[in-house]
Amino acid sequence: MLKLLAVHWKCSLFFFFLLFINGFPAIAGDDPARALAEAVYNRPAGKDVTSRVSMILTGKGVETRTRQLALFRMDKGAGERWSLMRFSLPADIKDTGLLTLDHPGDESDQWIYLPALDRVRRISSSRKGGRFVGSDFTYEDLRDREPDMDNHKIIGQSKVGGIKCEVVVSTPIDKSNSIYSKRVSWIHRRTRTALRVDFYQSGARKPVKRLMARKLKKTQGYWTVLESTMYDLKTGHKTKLATSKVKYDQGLPESLFSRQGLADASRGEKYIP
């Protein structure tokens, strides 16, 4: 297990990026930054994965809230990646689910299931900056982002919790397809993991959010982020995701990642570890 030292920051976001690299892949040619971004994106992570996750929301002057959820993910290859998040606790959001279908290129579909209304609603692209169930993750944070959507530049090396990382700045090629003006990532080369990501918005000189990976462990041969926290650097609020159990390559059915599957919480129960 690789544990990262806790780092405290002054207040002034798939599930994340994993795994093993011994050099840059040839497909990126002579551009090392693009090669590193490709290596992170194409990490070995199984054909599918299911995990039990606790979502813990805390902040100065607010009551700590804990939620339990299951996360299902399937990689179809060639930029086609599907995910489903399903809450089990507390009672007021039980069975609420978010389905994200990321297609090749800049195309993503998202739907949310609201059990109180027994209705599936589409998340429009205009809402990608909205907070998901009151957490510090926006709908865009929960979408896949392919390396081709950004320009990448390595600006140096730095340490996160004592671990040496490559620092990469990624800026959207099409500014309209992201709520962020740039992302700065601290990438651990051996595990292909972003241990820290700072998120900037247009006109801001300082990051508005920060994502930190706290713990990595190899599970079924795959490096897995077991704990990560998203910080809102404006408000001091934070959302921690802690994974207690994870299982890869179960052969999840494609029907689970459908609007019908989203509205039926029982479909995924037998796959939750």
Side-chain angles (χ1 to χ4, degrees), residues 13 55-58 65 67 69 85 87 93 98 129-139 141-142 180 209 230-232 235 237-241:
L13 155 5
M55 176 185 282
I56 304 161
L57 294 81
T58 59
R65 293 172 290 166
R67 298 165 175 173
L69 63 121
M85 300 176 68
F87 289 90
I93 62 168
L98 178 71
R131 292 159 61 101
F132 174 57
V133 294
S135 74
D136 296 290
F137 290 88
T138 66
Y139 288 100
D141 296 334
L142 302 175
Y180 304 114
K209 294 201 307 183
M230 181 70 88
Y231 298 85
D232 185 324
T235 66
H237 197 271
K238 60 185 178 181
T239 301
K240 181 168 77 172
L241 300 178

Side-chain angles (χ1 to χ4, degrees), residues 44-59:
K47 293 182 179 179
D48 62 63
V49 59
T50 307
S51 53
R52 286 181 181 265
V53 180
S54 295
M55 176 185 282
I56 304 161
L57 294 81
T58 59

Side-chain angles (χ1 to χ4, degrees), residues 24-39 42 147-148 152:
F24 297 121
I27 56 173
D30 297 325
D31 185 346
R34 167 65 184 279
L36 185 53
E38 290 278 3
N42 293 316
D148 286 346
H152 308 279

Side-chain angles (χ1 to χ4, degrees), residues 2 6 14 18 35 53 55 63 75 82 106 110-111 114 116 123-124 153 158 163 198 205 207 216 218 232 240 244 259:
L2 175 61
F14 186 126
L18 310 176
V53 180
M55 176 185 282
E63 183 179 355
D75 190 342
W82 303 343
D106 182 23
Q110 281 183 312
W111 293 270
L114 303 171
I123 305 298
S124 68
K153 181 180 180 180
S158 186
I163 298 172
D198 283 4
R205 300 182 64 181
L216 301 176
K218 249 188 180 179
D232 185 324
K240 181 168 77 172
S244 58
R259 281 174 286 182

Side-chain angles (χ1 to χ4, degrees), residues 137-256:
F137 290 88
T138 66
Y139 288 100
E140 178 176 330
D141 296 334
L142 302 175
R143 294 179 178 180
D144 192 43
R145 190 166 183 89
E146 296 179 36
D148 286 346
M149 297 171 66
D150 298 308
N151 291 313
H152 308 279
K153 181 180 180 180
I154 296 176
I155 60 171
Q157 294 183 336
S158 186
K159 290 184 178 181
V160 176
I163 298 172
K164 187 170 71 173
C165 297
E166 305 281 351
V167 184
V168 179
V169 177
S170 302
T171 55
I173 294 173
D174 180 356
K175 294 181 180 180
S176 68
N177 69 18
S178 178
I179 62 172
Y180 304 114
S181 59
K182 69 178 179 181
R183 297 169 173 84
V184 182
S185 304
W186 282 251
I187 297 175
H188 182 225
R189 218 187 243 213
R190 182 170 63 85
T191 59
R192 297 186 194 177
T193 306
L195 302 185
R196 168 181 165 181
V197 183
D198 283 4
F199 299 81
Y200 291 76
Q201 291 181 333
S202 180
R205 300 182 64 181
K206 296 181 179 180
V208 294
K209 294 201 307 183
R210 177 170 293 147
L211 178 65
M212 298 290 299
R214 298 293 187 187
K215 190 186 297 182
L216 301 176
K217 182 181 179 180
K218 249 188 180 179
T219 303
Q220 294 178 236
Y222 303 112
W223 282 106
T224 306
V225 177
L226 295 180
E227 186 178 308
S228 59
T229 303
M230 181 70 88
Y231 298 85
D232 185 324
L233 300 179
K234 291 182 175 180
T235 66
H237 197 271
K238 60 185 178 181
T239 301
K240 181 168 77 172
L241 300 178
T243 299
S244 58
K245 294 183 180 180
V246 61
K247 193 170 184 178
Y248 289 91
D249 298 326
Q250 295 189 79
L252 297 178
E254 292 189 5
S255 60
L256 182 63

